[in-house]
Amino acid sequence: MWRSVWRSIDRFSLQHFKYVINELRQIKVVDRNNREVVIDLLQSLVEIVTYGDRQDPMIFECFMEYQVLAEFVRVLKISRNSRIEAPLLQYLSIMIQNMGSEQAIYYCLSNDYINKIIEHTYEFDAGDLAPYYMSFLRAVSNKINRDTLCLLVKVNRDVVTSFPLYTEALKFAHHGEKMIQTAVRALTLNIFNVSDDMVYQFVATPPASKYFSDLVHSLREKCILLDGLVKATEETYTDQKKRDILLESDKIIDDMYYFKDILSVGESRLSKVVSKDLLSLLVFPILLPLLQIRQSNGFHVSAVTSLYIVSQLLQVVGGKNIINYVAVVLLYPYMTLHIRDAIEGETTDASNAYSFYNLLHELEIVKFFSLKSEGEEDMNGNHVSAHMESNASSNSDLDSFPMDGDTCVERKGILAYINSENHILLFASLFLLLILAENKDLDSLMASAIGLSEMQDTTKYDISASLVGKSNILMRLMPQVLNALLKVLASQAPSCALIQLHTGWFLQKLLSFQGNRLNDHHLQLFNTSYQRSCERLQKELDGGWFDQILETLRDEWANCKTALEEPLQSKNPLFALELAVCQQTTDGSTTSSKFSWQTMVDAVKVFPALNWIDARGKALLLMDLHVFTLHVQLKTFIVKGNLLENPFLELTSGPATDSEISQSSDLSSASFGSEVFLGSGFPCRIAFSNAGVRDIYLIPVARGISGKLILAEKHPFRSQRGVVIAIAPLAGLSVSFDIGKADSQIVFMILMRSTF
């Protein structure tokens, strides 16, 4: 009898579900006194509904019959400073996330209950409500599709007039918490990927489209902040400053990837508004002042930061429109110069001059170069053609570029940076052109103008070979570019190994474009640089003989080969900013205190036993190894067209028996405490400060150009074996070996410097 009275209640039963609903309906006001009770009731409801959605259809039928979602709305309305909103939104998020049946999802999104919860007036300033709210919105967005999205929008005559899920989420687009920003972006992408025509029209039309321009303005502010860090004058490149630059650049890259995700949706209206905002608010305000085409309108960043931002944008976002817009802006001064020549009759076919303007018309970019009349809206082909010649010969933007020869033009625009004596600007501008040249979306006319495209198809615009050849920028300037790079390679001090590595990467890239051809002058420059690298390494070694050199050369060779083979799309343009920050001018020579210090630290780790030189000497030695391996790889590439795989061969003094090979391997791999063969050792007595006089075997080990001394104590039970008690490289000694012909195990050592 007592069991029937006290038997447990099935908390997932339909009866208990109805009981919980009735209990919740009895609540008239939610305040701090009954807050916990209401939370328990909401939790029970969500648990039972989640269970019923998968296990008991009757529970969900009851959920719909009793309109439980309406109770959630009512609880929000009767709350009196109870702070019930956060747990209520949390439980709703859990319930929606765990719903699996289409019927349950469809019901929850219908009847406008979700919109009422979204549009409820919340006090986000108090507490941590915003994360729960955005979690709820994101959970809803994860469940929408083409059949359910219509339940969340209000439509009038086939036009969306209200979309609370989207508009309310955008209010948190620039929230200080990264998690909330991520939730907003995930929500918007969920909506964009539904492919609803009316929703696309809504998000691409003001005021909703203002979201995209706000994003670009936010990206501009981050670019300005990054540029401030780059230009900040400090004596050293500290780890903290490096972290700050990396952090800000990561924020910029995150924004760019978000723009790429939006463009990847593939909807024309969405792509058009996003591309327009990126170009008009970011790309053109950066490039036009940079190329001296137009004055800055208040948004100004340094040249190296500008080139970094545009390069990063092309790498991350890309796309046919943006790629060709950037190419047209970069090449505008040089293309218009040759077009003017065609119009003035200096080329055989003046009709080719219209090709470039036709491309401007296709990209709707004419207005950015003042190639328009007062009727700016009329941008048809006839309008452009009618005004092209007059604009090309009048006081337009072309007048800012001197026309008295190609030399003047090469000092303007992007070529001004390629021809700059500042190798950082040389690297950054050349990197930007390489990104364009290797992009498959680049228009054939622009690819031909740059001159590095492997397939320069000029058939689309019917361009004559004379026009293309004359406007072929990089190929025409290749001797100058190679000369500048080789001078950088030859002129840098050992402390600038990183600069030389980037120089080598650019050389390898450009040489691969033109078939590894260097003229006599360029070969002389390279050979001079190669000889200097060998001499510096030999000078730093200065007769030293130690184990780590061969192993370090192998490691450096692998690192150098990996760096030179790095694909263009994988190379981070941030290298230009790092070099710009690290560059310091002292007495006319460029040094990098941060890189020098870091290399010293690395050298001490690599060469811990080189006590005959100080930390700075070790750093110079390691950097010389960097430079030496780079020059050897470049020389091989110039001569053979490829990079070496295994340049360092094992050096042996002649054939060896199986016994000798076993003993050599035994000694070369010896470590502290291991057993070694004593046959090649010299018995001696050594006095130790803490252990007295002991019988020790001194064993010299030679392998190629490296060697070490092993101190071993005879094993108490094995007469020909010993236990290693110390190992040291033969450092700072000028050593010569005389291997006897009768017995190859007899070694005569001549120590030129007394160290014992």
Side-chain angles (χ1 to χ4, degrees), residues 652-723:
T652 59
S653 58
T657 64
D658 293 341
S659 174
E660 291 171 344
I661 294 175
S662 175
Q663 294 171 11
S664 174
S665 175
D666 181 23
L667 292 172
S668 62
S669 61
S671 60
F672 180 78
S674 63
E675 292 187 14
V676 294
F677 179 69
L678 298 178
S680 60
F682 300 98
C684 59
R685 295 171 63 83
I686 299 179
F688 295 90
S689 59
N690 297 325
V693 179
R694 298 165 63 178
D695 292 327
I696 300 297
Y697 279 77
L698 178 65
I699 308 174
V701 180
R703 189 179 185 185
I705 62 173
S706 63
K708 58 188 173 182
L709 288 177
I710 296 178
L711 299 184
E713 191 171 19
K714 189 174 182 181
H715 197 284
F717 305 112
R718 304 174 65 181
S719 59
Q720 295 299 316
R721 307 291 290 179
V723 179

Side-chain angles (χ1 to χ4, degrees), residues 432-439 442 447 450 452-454 513:
L432 176 56
L433 283 182
L434 287 175
I435 292 176
L436 287 173
E438 289 197 0
N439 196 288
L442 183 65
I450 293 176
L452 292 183
S453 176
E454 294 181 357
F513 275 114

Side-chain angles (χ1 to χ4, degrees), residues 267-474:
E267 208 285 323
S268 59
R269 286 164 293 187
L270 196 61
S271 298
K272 184 175 182 179
V273 67
V274 172
S275 298
K276 178 182 177 182
D277 286 337
L278 278 173
L279 291 167
S280 62
L281 299 178
L282 181 67
V283 175
F284 292 145
I286 285 178
L287 284 182
L288 296 183
L290 179 72
L291 304 177
Q292 305 174 26
I293 296 176
R294 179 178 294 177
Q295 295 296 321
S296 173
N297 58 356
F299 173 54
H300 177 72
V301 292
S302 63
V304 66
T305 305
S306 299
L307 293 168
Y308 162 76
I309 294 169
V310 178
S311 298
Q312 196 70 265
L313 184 72
L314 297 185
Q315 274 193 334
V316 175
V317 180
K320 187 173 183 179
N321 282 341
I322 292 179
I323 290 291
N324 286 292
Y325 271 113
V326 172
V328 166
V329 174
L330 289 178
L331 304 180
Y332 175 75
Y334 322 108
M335 295 299 293
T336 49
L337 170 66
H338 300 301
I339 288 170
R340 172 173 292 181
D341 292 342
I343 294 174
E344 293 176 353
E346 295 183 14
T347 59
T348 57
D349 187 2
S351 64
N352 290 325
Y354 292 90
S355 300
F356 183 62
Y357 283 94
N358 288 337
L359 178 60
L360 296 183
H361 167 65
E362 289 181 16
L363 297 176
E364 298 181 356
I365 199 174
V366 182
K367 60 182 179 180
F368 290 102
F369 299 99
S370 302
L371 300 176
K372 60 182 184 298
S373 64
E374 295 179 0
E376 182 176 303
E377 294 80 5
D378 182 13
M379 295 182 64
N380 55 67
N382 294 331
H383 173 82
V384 174
S385 299
H387 291 271
M388 183 188 65
E389 183 171 352
S390 61
N391 279 283
S393 58
S394 64
N395 294 327
S396 64
D397 291 305
L398 293 175
D399 292 334
S400 63
F401 295 88
M403 295 300 155
D404 53 345
D406 290 346
T407 302
C408 295
V409 176
E410 291 165 7
R411 295 172 184 169
K412 296 289 185 178
I414 190 68
L415 296 190
Y417 301 105
I418 290 181
N419 290 321
S420 172
E421 294 182 0
N422 185 335
H423 55 267
I424 309 300
L425 293 178
L426 166 64
F427 292 164
S429 55
L430 190 57
F431 187 77
L432 176 56
L433 283 182
L434 287 175
I435 292 176
L436 287 173
E438 289 197 0
N439 196 288
K440 62 181 180 180
D441 291 324
L442 183 65
D443 186 89
S444 59
L445 176 63
M446 297 294 98
S448 299
I450 293 176
L452 292 183
S453 176
E454 294 181 357
M455 297 181 62
Q456 298 181 7
D457 182 13
T458 60
T459 58
K460 178 180 177 182
Y461 293 97
D462 190 25
I463 312 167
S464 69
S466 61
L467 180 60
V468 172
K470 191 173 183 180
S471 60
N472 194 307
I473 296 171
L474 270 184

Side-chain angles (χ1 to χ4, degrees), residues 58-76:
M58 295 298 295
I59 290 179
F60 199 81
E61 289 182 9
C62 180
F63 174 81
M64 293 186 291
E65 179 184 350
Y66 281 74
Q67 298 187 6
V68 175
L69 276 179
E71 290 301 312
F72 281 82
V73 177
R74 189 180 69 86
V75 168
L76 286 175

Side-chain angles (χ1 to χ4, degrees), residues 9-28 36-49 59 62-63 66-69 71-72 74-75 91 95:
I9 300 175
D10 184 1
R11 55 192 300 263
F12 292 107
S13 66
L14 179 61
Q15 180 181 1
H16 183 63
F17 184 50
K18 292 179 179 179
Y19 168 78
V20 175
I21 295 174
N22 290 328
E23 286 294 309
L24 185 61
R25 286 180 171 180
Q26 299 302 316
I27 304 294
K28 302 304 180 183
E36 297 301 324
V37 174
V38 176
I39 291 176
D40 290 340
L41 292 174
L42 294 176
Q43 180 179 357
S44 297
L45 285 176
V46 170
E47 290 175 349
I48 297 172
V49 171
I59 290 179
C62 180
F63 174 81
Y66 281 74
Q67 298 187 6
V68 175
L69 276 179
E71 290 301 312
F72 281 82
R74 189 180 69 86
V75 168
Y91 291 136
M95 184 180 73

